[in-house]
Amino acid sequence: MNKTLLAEFTARDGAKDEVARLLLDYAKKVREEEGNLAFDIYTKASSPRAYWIFEMYRDEDAFQEHLKAPYGGPFNTALAPLIEEDASVLTFLDPVT
């Protein structure tokens, strides 16, 4: 079964462009992961500092490999001071069948 999630956070005032730059660079790396099926970045139309990232991995093992990637930690460290939340808010999703 695919592992699917939504990551949400809000860029601090004045940090939107830097957050976008970090995300786009990170997305290139994540999309190259063997088990990654989607890594789509969105902003909320009514609040352009609010980011939503839709992620899908082949399965739990692929997601665990993603978490071990050497670029994840530096990305999260760089992102942390640029967002209003303490960290990304993750919502794990299950398909309706």
Side-chain angles (χ1 to χ4, degrees), residues 1 4 6-7 14 17 29 33 37-39 52 54 58 67 69-70 74 80 85:
M1 178 191 256
T4 307
L6 184 66
D17 291 342
K29 295 171 184 167
E33 294 174 11
L37 303 176
F39 191 92
W52 293 15
F54 176 80
R58 181 185 60 238
L67 294 178
E85 298 80 6

Side-chain angles (χ1 to χ4, degrees), residues 31-90:
R31 289 174 182 149
E32 291 177 357
E33 294 174 11
E34 183 180 332
N36 178 262
L37 303 176
F39 191 92
D40 300 324
I41 304 166
Y42 298 90
T43 57
K44 191 173 177 182
S46 63
S47 179
R49 291 188 300 118
Y51 283 87
W52 293 15
I53 296 88
F54 176 80
E55 302 179 48
M56 184 182 294
Y57 300 88
R58 181 185 60 238
D59 54 22
E60 179 67 30
D61 289 342
F63 178 64
Q64 292 303 317
E65 285 302 311
H66 163 72
L67 294 178
K68 295 176 191 172
Y71 41 82
F75 167 76
N76 286 316
T77 298
L79 183 68
L82 301 175
I83 64 174
E84 293 180 355
E85 298 80 6
D86 292 334
S88 296
V89 177
L90 303 181

